[in-house]
Amino acid sequence: MQAWTHPACLAHDTGPGHAERPERLRAVLDALHAAFPTLDWHEAPRATRGQLLRVHTPELLSTVLDTQPTSRVHLDPDTVLSPASAEAALRAAGAAVAATEAVLHGDAKRAFCAVRPPGHHATGDVAMGFCLFNSAAVAAAHAIEHGKLERVAIIDFDVHHGNGTQAIFEHDTRVLYLSSHQSPLYPDTGYLEERGDGNIFNAPLPPGSGSDRFRAAWRDRLLPALEDFRPQLVIVSAGFDGHWRDPLAQLQLQADDYAWLTNQLATIAGRHAGGRMLSMLEGGYDLQALAECSVAHVAALSGLQPA
Ligand SMILES: [Zn+2]
């Protein structure tokens, strides 16, 4: 089990009062270091322009990488580009690529990327919803183009729908995209009838759903689709904003729900993908919930017992 991060991800400065703040990543790193002293940490490289261009337009690369702001610039009301943001976005996507390489080459069966900014709202051409580059999509594209895989699954349990990931792959049946999310909620996509070319499965859940409805959606609808797809690699968009403590949503999940789902995914990955899984930190805006949920998730991913 490998873990990837980079100090640049802490320097992405969204400004005072912003929910997607450096303290989120600090909470995850502190919790993981305390719980798993033996975790195999690596410093993320930068993604290359070529790796990013597999899923993003040259115009989006130019906006994020070439603007070089001297102070904070708002790309939309939620999404901020600070002087340090380009480097953070490159390292977050670079972690995704490096973790993919490690898992595909057999250096590790599992990897977790503790990075920010998150990625799943970024479409091919638009940075939005706190996201600059879609790191999970960059990982999937790398596994397909470089790793020559034919079936890659992206599992998104962030409380928000990953509209960007869906938009990037909705006509690419080499990728299966499965998402549970609160609905209605930002970004107001992810309805049941959005099926792409048959490779998209959404499970919108009403506010207040709680553990039982969340687990039922995965057990009855999403996990069977994953099993049928026979993924060669499982990529997780791991957002922990479904937790009951989270201030941005009301799905009312517990840390144990993330452990349960991660175990289910690991079982299916074991059957079809040689156990190969990598996970990207997405959302989660309560520091205590982030700490508890990331430990529960990484424990299930790694098989390590938290200290
Ligand atoms: Zn989210």
Side-chain angles (χ1 to χ4, degrees):
M1 171 82 189
Q2 292 186 348
W4 292 81
T5 190
H6 194 281
C9 296
L10 292 163
H12 167 52
D13 175 15
T14 48
H18 198 290
E20 204 291 281
R21 58 208 193 278
E23 290 79 3
R24 299 179 54 247
L25 178 56
R26 176 51 61 201
V28 169
L29 293 171
D30 288 350
L32 293 180
H33 282 294
F36 308 107
T38 62
L39 211 52
D40 180 20
W41 284 95
H42 297 262
E43 194 156 284
R46 293 188 186 105
T48 66
R49 287 190 182 237
Q51 290 162 350
L52 297 167
L53 284 168
R54 291 180 181 136
V55 301
H56 291 302
T57 59
E59 291 74 19
L60 179 61
L61 264 65
S62 176
T63 298
V64 175
L65 301 179
D66 303 332
T67 300
Q68 301 188 309
T70 52
S71 60
R72 283 188 298 273
V73 174
H74 276 260
L75 301 180
D76 72 14
D78 303 320
T79 311
V80 176
L81 198 65
S82 72
S85 298
E87 181 71 9
L90 283 172
R91 298 289 181 173
V97 171
T100 302
E101 293 262 322
V103 167
L104 290 183
H105 292 157
D107 304 334
K109 209 181 266 190
R110 305 276 163 80
F112 180 69
C113 299
V115 291
R116 60 184 284 277
H120 71 153
H121 295 305
T123 68
D125 57 354
V126 182
M128 60 181 281
F130 311 162
C131 302
L132 298 176
F133 295 139
N134 194 319
S135 299
V138 171
H142 190 73
I144 290 166
E145 303 291 334
H146 180 79
K148 306 292 179 210
L149 298 193
E150 294 170 349
R151 296 183 309 283
V152 175
I154 301 178
I155 308 300
D156 189 335
F157 57 66
D158 189 281
V159 81
H160 302 95
H161 179 241
N163 61 297
T165 312
Q166 176 173 304
I168 288 167
F169 294 117
E170 61 189 343
H171 300 302
D172 183 346
T173 56
R174 297 172 298 182
V175 175
L176 178 74
Y177 176 71
L178 306 181
S179 175
S180 65
H181 43 272
Q182 181 175 317
S183 178
L185 190 66
Y186 181 90
D188 198 31
T189 53
Y191 291 90
L192 276 178
E193 59 271 23
E194 296 169 22
R195 294 295 324 283
D197 286 349
N199 60 324
I200 306 290
F201 288 82
N202 287 303
L205 298 167
S209 283
S211 301
D212 290 350
R213 288 184 81 157
F214 173 80
R215 293 189 190 202
W218 283 96
R219 193 178 52 235
D220 300 340
R221 174 170 166 76
L222 301 179
L223 292 172
L226 180 61
E227 185 79 53
D228 287 348
F229 183 68
R230 296 181 295 116
Q232 295 167 299
L233 173 67
V234 173
I235 298 172
V236 182
S237 268
F240 300 113
D241 37 12
H243 190 272
W244 63 270
R245 292 181 60 94
D246 196 274
L248 298 195
Q250 300 78 36
L251 208 51
Q252 307 291 55
L253 302 182
Q254 313 275 342
D256 189 49
D257 294 318
Y258 297 110
W260 173 83
L261 179 53
T262 306
N263 278 317
Q264 302 293 315
L265 298 173
T267 300
I268 296 175
R271 267 200 287 277
H272 302 293
R276 296 182 298 197
M277 286 177 75
L278 67 104
S279 175
M280 308 296 306
L281 179 65
E282 298 277 2
Y285 302 97
D286 178 86
L287 301 184
Q288 187 181 328
L290 271 171
E292 286 175 20
C293 295
S294 58
V295 168
H297 176 58
V298 168
L301 201 59
S302 64
L304 295 169
Q305 282 295 332

